[in-house]
Amino acid sequence: MRLLIDEKDLALLLEKKRDLIGNKVTIDTIIAGVSFLLSVFTASYNDFLGIRGFGIVLKTIFCIIGIVYCLKIVKDVSEMLKNKYDHEVLFQDIEQLNMIQHNHSLVAVKDNSCEEKLRYLVYYDERWDCKLFLNYKTQNRNNEAALKEQVAADLNLNSDDIVCNYITSRVQEKYSVSHQEMRVYNHRLYEMYFNYIPDKFKKDNFEVNGKHYYWMTIEEMEKDDNIKEKNLEVVDFVKEYIK
């Protein structure tokens, strides 16, 4: 998982939680405090330089120090139990600062049936009113296998006939047409091709399960005014890393 965090926000969080971070009382500390107090109570101190009662005064001072130290340990243990702020809670707080709003996987499906030019599969997205690369929400585990299953289901293919390779990832801030606001995306880019392509897929465009698909080159996408306006960052991303 990739996080995008503002340095000022992180510094502010650590400042607020500084008294809780690392506020742990170990068993060694407790044993040391109790041992010190017991040793002071049982020890005997001689008078120093003939000063009468000096040993008793010295013992009293050490006893007070020992008692105060043990009281502090009790206080620290009480606060530790009350404020169970460990590394897991700290990590959760840091995660809340994450500016990445969406983790998406971009799938660049290559047309192996066309030898003259390199074409990619795009589909018409009604919410964006634009032709987009196939994209799916990134899964925390086994994302490549999940992508193959999702593409296979969308296109009525056998997942065993699909080859999927991870290329790279990039954090991008771009305007979301569907939400009408700027959003931060963590895009994972995958290259995909089909070992078996149905005859229907060899056409320049076709429909499957009510969705309209197109084969397009990067050059054609760059000349499409609608794509240029709404999704050129993604087109450039694919162009840069997939040849």
Side-chain angles (χ1 to χ4, degrees), residues 170-189:
R170 174 180 290 176
V171 175
Q172 293 180 303
E173 183 177 11
K174 66 189 301 292
Y175 185 76
S176 171
V177 175
S178 58
H179 295 89
Q180 297 184 347
E181 64 181 11
M182 294 297 296
R183 291 198 164 195
V184 179
Y185 296 84
N186 179 24
H187 282 147
R188 292 175 62 88
L189 178 60

PDB file of all heavy atoms in Angstrom, residues 170-189:
ATOM      1  N   ARG A 170       1.861   4.649 -10.197  1.00  0.00           N
ATOM      2  CA  ARG A 170       2.104   6.092 -10.130  1.00  0.00           C
ATOM      3  C   ARG A 170       0.948   6.753  -9.394  1.00  0.00           C
ATOM      4  O   ARG A 170      -0.213   6.416  -9.608  1.00  0.00           O
ATOM      5  CB  ARG A 170       2.230   6.684 -11.537  1.00  0.00           C
ATOM      6  CG  ARG A 170       2.329   8.197 -11.578  1.00  0.00           C
ATOM      7  CD  ARG A 170       2.442   8.725 -12.986  1.00  0.00           C
ATOM      8  NE  ARG A 170       3.733   8.396 -13.580  1.00  0.00           N
ATOM      9  CZ  ARG A 170       4.057   8.674 -14.841  1.00  0.00           C
ATOM     10  NH1 ARG A 170       3.180   9.282 -15.630  1.00  0.00           N
ATOM     11  NH2 ARG A 170       5.250   8.346 -15.309  1.00  0.00           N
ATOM     12  N   VAL A 171       1.308   7.722  -8.533  1.00  0.00           N
ATOM     13  CA  VAL A 171       0.292   8.537  -7.867  1.00  0.00           C
ATOM     14  C   VAL A 171      -0.006   9.728  -8.761  1.00  0.00           C
ATOM     15  O   VAL A 171       0.911  10.467  -9.148  1.00  0.00           O
ATOM     16  CB  VAL A 171       0.765   9.001  -6.477  1.00  0.00           C
ATOM     17  CG1 VAL A 171      -0.253   9.955  -5.868  1.00  0.00           C
ATOM     18  CG2 VAL A 171       0.982   7.804  -5.565  1.00  0.00           C
ATOM     19  N   GLN A 172      -1.276   9.913  -9.109  1.00  0.00           N
ATOM     20  CA  GLN A 172      -1.671  10.984 -10.010  1.00  0.00           C
ATOM     21  C   GLN A 172      -2.836  11.774  -9.415  1.00  0.00           C
ATOM     22  O   GLN A 172      -3.785  11.185  -8.896  1.00  0.00           O
ATOM     23  CB  GLN A 172      -2.101  10.429 -11.370  1.00  0.00           C
ATOM     24  CG  GLN A 172      -0.976   9.788 -12.173  1.00  0.00           C
ATOM     25  CD  GLN A 172      -1.469   9.250 -13.501  1.00  0.00           C
ATOM     26  OE1 GLN A 172      -2.368   8.424 -13.547  1.00  0.00           O
ATOM     27  NE2 GLN A 172      -0.888   9.727 -14.584  1.00  0.00           N
ATOM     28  N   GLU A 173      -2.744  13.086  -9.520  1.00  0.00           N
ATOM     29  CA  GLU A 173      -3.875  13.927  -9.144  1.00  0.00           C
ATOM     30  C   GLU A 173      -4.550  14.387 -10.428  1.00  0.00           C
ATOM     31  O   GLU A 173      -3.918  15.005 -11.286  1.00  0.00           O
ATOM     32  CB  GLU A 173      -3.415  15.134  -8.326  1.00  0.00           C
ATOM     33  CG  GLU A 173      -4.566  16.005  -7.857  1.00  0.00           C
ATOM     34  CD  GLU A 173      -4.130  17.168  -6.988  1.00  0.00           C
ATOM     35  OE1 GLU A 173      -2.913  17.418  -6.929  1.00  0.00           O
ATOM     36  OE2 GLU A 173      -4.996  17.823  -6.382  1.00  0.00           O
ATOM     37  N   LYS A 174      -5.810  14.065 -10.569  1.00  0.00           N
ATOM     38  CA  LYS A 174      -6.533  14.424 -11.788  1.00  0.00           C
ATOM     39  C   LYS A 174      -7.987  14.711 -11.469  1.00  0.00           C
ATOM     40  O   LYS A 174      -8.497  14.322 -10.419  1.00  0.00           O
ATOM     41  CB  LYS A 174      -6.421  13.321 -12.852  1.00  0.00           C
ATOM     42  CG  LYS A 174      -7.097  12.013 -12.487  1.00  0.00           C
ATOM     43  CD  LYS A 174      -6.746  10.906 -13.493  1.00  0.00           C
ATOM     44  CE  LYS A 174      -7.148  11.256 -14.886  1.00  0.00           C
ATOM     45  NZ  LYS A 174      -8.615  11.301 -15.080  1.00  0.00           N
ATOM     46  N   TYR A 175      -8.622  15.375 -12.391  1.00  0.00           N
ATOM     47  CA  TYR A 175     -10.022  15.741 -12.208  1.00  0.00           C
ATOM     48  C   TYR A 175     -10.911  14.536 -12.478  1.00  0.00           C
ATOM     49  O   TYR A 175     -10.781  13.858 -13.504  1.00  0.00           O
ATOM     50  CB  TYR A 175     -10.394  16.878 -13.154  1.00  0.00           C
ATOM     51  CG  TYR A 175     -11.800  17.401 -12.960  1.00  0.00           C
ATOM     52  CD1 TYR A 175     -12.117  18.227 -11.888  1.00  0.00           C
ATOM     53  CD2 TYR A 175     -12.819  17.036 -13.843  1.00  0.00           C
ATOM     54  CE1 TYR A 175     -13.408  18.703 -11.707  1.00  0.00           C
ATOM     55  CE2 TYR A 175     -14.113  17.512 -13.666  1.00  0.00           C
ATOM     56  CZ  TYR A 175     -14.403  18.336 -12.599  1.00  0.00           C
ATOM     57  OH  TYR A 175     -15.685  18.792 -12.412  1.00  0.00           O
ATOM     58  N   SER A 176     -11.806  14.257 -11.535  1.00  0.00           N
ATOM     59  CA  SER A 176     -12.773  13.177 -11.703  1.00  0.00           C
ATOM     60  C   SER A 176     -14.046  13.757 -12.292  1.00  0.00           C
ATOM     61  O   SER A 176     -14.735  14.556 -11.647  1.00  0.00           O
ATOM     62  CB  SER A 176     -13.069  12.508 -10.355  1.00  0.00           C
ATOM     63  OG  SER A 176     -14.161  11.613 -10.480  1.00  0.00           O
ATOM     64  N   VAL A 177     -14.339  13.342 -13.517  1.00  0.00           N
ATOM     65  CA  VAL A 177     -15.535  13.847 -14.188  1.00  0.00           C
ATOM     66  C   VAL A 177     -16.789  13.365 -13.478  1.00  0.00           C
ATOM     67  O   VAL A 177     -17.752  14.122 -13.295  1.00  0.00           O
ATOM     68  CB  VAL A 177     -15.548  13.401 -15.670  1.00  0.00           C
ATOM     69  CG1 VAL A 177     -16.852  13.826 -16.342  1.00  0.00           C
ATOM     70  CG2 VAL A 177     -14.353  13.983 -16.412  1.00  0.00           C
ATOM     71  N   SER A 178     -16.780  12.102 -13.044  1.00  0.00           N
ATOM     72  CA  SER A 178     -17.970  11.530 -12.418  1.00  0.00           C
ATOM     73  C   SER A 178     -18.279  12.172 -11.067  1.00  0.00           C
ATOM     74  O   SER A 178     -19.430  12.274 -10.651  1.00  0.00           O
ATOM     75  CB  SER A 178     -17.813  10.018 -12.258  1.00  0.00           C
ATOM     76  OG  SER A 178     -16.676   9.706 -11.483  1.00  0.00           O
ATOM     77  N   HIS A 179     -17.233  12.626 -10.349  1.00  0.00           N
ATOM     78  CA  HIS A 179     -17.430  13.251  -9.034  1.00  0.00           C
ATOM     79  C   HIS A 179     -17.277  14.769  -9.080  1.00  0.00           C
ATOM     80  O   HIS A 179     -17.503  15.444  -8.071  1.00  0.00           O
ATOM     81  CB  HIS A 179     -16.434  12.668  -8.019  1.00  0.00           C
ATOM     82  CG  HIS A 179     -16.642  11.216  -7.737  1.00  0.00           C
ATOM     83  ND1 HIS A 179     -16.037  10.224  -8.463  1.00  0.00           N
ATOM     84  CD2 HIS A 179     -17.424  10.583  -6.821  1.00  0.00           C
ATOM     85  CE1 HIS A 179     -16.399   9.039  -7.995  1.00  0.00           C
ATOM     86  NE2 HIS A 179     -17.241   9.230  -7.009  1.00  0.00           N
ATOM     87  N   GLN A 180     -16.828  15.285 -10.235  1.00  0.00           N
ATOM     88  CA  GLN A 180     -16.681  16.729 -10.441  1.00  0.00           C
ATOM     89  C   GLN A 180     -15.791  17.374  -9.383  1.00  0.00           C
ATOM     90  O   GLN A 180     -16.132  18.402  -8.780  1.00  0.00           O
ATOM     91  CB  GLN A 180     -18.062  17.403 -10.474  1.00  0.00           C
ATOM     92  CG  GLN A 180     -18.930  16.926 -11.620  1.00  0.00           C
ATOM     93  CD  GLN A 180     -20.262  17.663 -11.712  1.00  0.00           C
ATOM     94  OE1 GLN A 180     -20.661  18.369 -10.801  1.00  0.00           O
ATOM     95  NE2 GLN A 180     -20.949  17.491 -12.832  1.00  0.00           N
ATOM     96  N   GLU A 181     -14.619  16.771  -9.166  1.00  0.00           N
ATOM     97  CA  GLU A 181     -13.653  17.317  -8.218  1.00  0.00           C
ATOM     98  C   GLU A 181     -12.281  16.723  -8.490  1.00  0.00           C
ATOM     99  O   GLU A 181     -12.162  15.676  -9.142  1.00  0.00           O
ATOM    100  CB  GLU A 181     -14.070  17.015  -6.773  1.00  0.00           C
ATOM    101  CG  GLU A 181     -14.086  15.532  -6.443  1.00  0.00           C
ATOM    102  CD  GLU A 181     -14.521  15.260  -5.010  1.00  0.00           C
ATOM    103  OE1 GLU A 181     -14.991  16.176  -4.338  1.00  0.00           O
ATOM    104  OE2 GLU A 181     -14.380  14.086  -4.577  1.00  0.00           O
ATOM    105  N   MET A 182     -11.237  17.391  -7.995  1.00  0.00           N
ATOM    106  CA  MET A 182      -9.888  16.856  -8.113  1.00  0.00           C
ATOM    107  C   MET A 182      -9.727  15.709  -7.120  1.00  0.00           C
ATOM    108  O   MET A 182     -10.133  15.828  -5.958  1.00  0.00           O
ATOM    109  CB  MET A 182      -8.847  17.938  -7.837  1.00  0.00           C
ATOM    110  CG  MET A 182      -8.815  19.053  -8.864  1.00  0.00           C
ATOM    111  SD  MET A 182      -8.356  18.469 -10.526  1.00  0.00           S
ATOM    112  CE  MET A 182      -6.664  17.907 -10.246  1.00  0.00           C
ATOM    113  N   ARG A 183      -9.124  14.617  -7.593  1.00  0.00           N
ATOM    114  CA  ARG A 183      -8.903  13.470  -6.725  1.00  0.00           C
ATOM    115  C   ARG A 183      -7.488  12.932  -6.935  1.00  0.00           C
ATOM    116  O   ARG A 183      -6.896  13.116  -8.002  1.00  0.00           O
ATOM    117  CB  ARG A 183      -9.919  12.361  -7.006  1.00  0.00           C
ATOM    118  CG  ARG A 183     -11.342  12.739  -6.585  1.00  0.00           C
ATOM    119  CD  ARG A 183     -12.215  11.520  -6.453  1.00  0.00           C
ATOM    120  NE  ARG A 183     -13.428  11.816  -5.703  1.00  0.00           N
ATOM    121  CZ  ARG A 183     -14.232  10.896  -5.193  1.00  0.00           C
ATOM    122  NH1 ARG A 183     -13.973   9.625  -5.356  1.00  0.00           N
ATOM    123  NH2 ARG A 183     -15.312  11.245  -4.513  1.00  0.00           N
ATOM    124  N   VAL A 184      -6.978  12.270  -5.894  1.00  0.00           N
ATOM    125  CA  VAL A 184      -5.646  11.677  -5.968  1.00  0.00           C
ATOM    126  C   VAL A 184      -5.802  10.165  -6.133  1.00  0.00           C
ATOM    127  O   VAL A 184      -6.477   9.510  -5.345  1.00  0.00           O
ATOM    128  CB  VAL A 184      -4.819  11.981  -4.698  1.00  0.00           C
ATOM    129  CG1 VAL A 184      -3.443  11.330  -4.794  1.00  0.00           C
ATOM    130  CG2 VAL A 184      -4.686  13.489  -4.519  1.00  0.00           C
ATOM    131  N   TYR A 185      -5.187   9.635  -7.185  1.00  0.00           N
ATOM    132  CA  TYR A 185      -5.292   8.217  -7.499  1.00  0.00           C
ATOM    133  C   TYR A 185      -3.914   7.555  -7.389  1.00  0.00           C
ATOM    134  O   TYR A 185      -2.899   8.141  -7.776  1.00  0.00           O
ATOM    135  CB  TYR A 185      -5.799   8.005  -8.932  1.00  0.00           C
ATOM    136  CG  TYR A 185      -7.203   8.505  -9.193  1.00  0.00           C
ATOM    137  CD1 TYR A 185      -7.440   9.839  -9.506  1.00  0.00           C
ATOM    138  CD2 TYR A 185      -8.303   7.650  -9.144  1.00  0.00           C
ATOM    139  CE1 TYR A 185      -8.723  10.310  -9.760  1.00  0.00           C
ATOM    140  CE2 TYR A 185      -9.585   8.103  -9.394  1.00  0.00           C
ATOM    141  CZ  TYR A 185      -9.784   9.432  -9.700  1.00  0.00           C
ATOM    142  OH  TYR A 185     -11.055   9.887  -9.947  1.00  0.00           O
ATOM    143  N   ASN A 186      -3.907   6.341  -6.894  1.00  0.00           N
ATOM    144  CA  ASN A 186      -2.715   5.498  -6.988  1.00  0.00           C
ATOM    145  C   ASN A 186      -3.003   4.474  -8.079  1.00  0.00           C
ATOM    146  O   ASN A 186      -3.717   3.506  -7.864  1.00  0.00           O
ATOM    147  CB  ASN A 186      -2.423   4.798  -5.658  1.00  0.00           C
ATOM    148  CG  ASN A 186      -1.195   3.912  -5.755  1.00  0.00           C
ATOM    149  OD1 ASN A 186      -0.323   4.123  -6.598  1.00  0.00           O
ATOM    150  ND2 ASN A 186      -1.122   2.900  -4.906  1.00  0.00           N
ATOM    151  N   HIS A 187      -2.463   4.726  -9.257  1.00  0.00           N
ATOM    152  CA  HIS A 187      -2.725   3.873 -10.411  1.00  0.00           C
ATOM    153  C   HIS A 187      -1.661   2.787 -10.538  1.00  0.00           C
ATOM    154  O   HIS A 187      -0.469   3.088 -10.622  1.00  0.00           O
ATOM    155  CB  HIS A 187      -2.744   4.702 -11.703  1.00  0.00           C
ATOM    156  CG  HIS A 187      -4.018   5.456 -11.910  1.00  0.00           C
ATOM    157  ND1 HIS A 187      -4.067   6.682 -12.527  1.00  0.00           N
ATOM    158  CD2 HIS A 187      -5.302   5.145 -11.582  1.00  0.00           C
ATOM    159  CE1 HIS A 187      -5.319   7.102 -12.572  1.00  0.00           C
ATOM    160  NE2 HIS A 187      -6.078   6.189 -12.008  1.00  0.00           N
ATOM    161  N   ARG A 188      -2.099   1.553 -10.522  1.00  0.00           N
ATOM    162  CA  ARG A 188      -1.216   0.419 -10.813  1.00  0.00           C
ATOM    163  C   ARG A 188      -1.464   0.011 -12.260  1.00  0.00           C
ATOM    164  O   ARG A 188      -2.600  -0.276 -12.643  1.00  0.00           O
ATOM    165  CB  ARG A 188      -1.499  -0.754  -9.876  1.00  0.00           C
ATOM    166  CG  ARG A 188      -1.118  -0.486  -8.433  1.00  0.00           C
ATOM    167  CD  ARG A 188      -1.534  -1.628  -7.515  1.00  0.00           C
ATOM    168  NE  ARG A 188      -0.875  -2.877  -7.869  1.00  0.00           N
ATOM    169  CZ  ARG A 188       0.314  -3.260  -7.399  1.00  0.00           C
ATOM    170  NH1 ARG A 188       0.962  -2.484  -6.555  1.00  0.00           N
ATOM    171  NH2 ARG A 188       0.840  -4.404  -7.752  1.00  0.00           N
ATOM    172  N   LEU A 189      -0.410  -0.009 -13.047  1.00  0.00           N
ATOM    173  CA  LEU A 189      -0.549  -0.274 -14.476  1.00  0.00           C
ATOM    174  C   LEU A 189      -0.216  -1.734 -14.786  1.00  0.00           C
ATOM    175  O   LEU A 189       0.825  -2.248 -14.381  1.00  0.00           O
ATOM    176  CB  LEU A 189       0.375   0.654 -15.270  1.00  0.00           C
ATOM    177  CG  LEU A 189       0.380   0.471 -16.794  1.00  0.00           C
ATOM    178  CD1 LEU A 189      -1.010   0.714 -17.378  1.00  0.00           C
ATOM    179  CD2 LEU A 189       1.407   1.404 -17.427  1.00  0.00           C
TER     180      LEU A 189
END
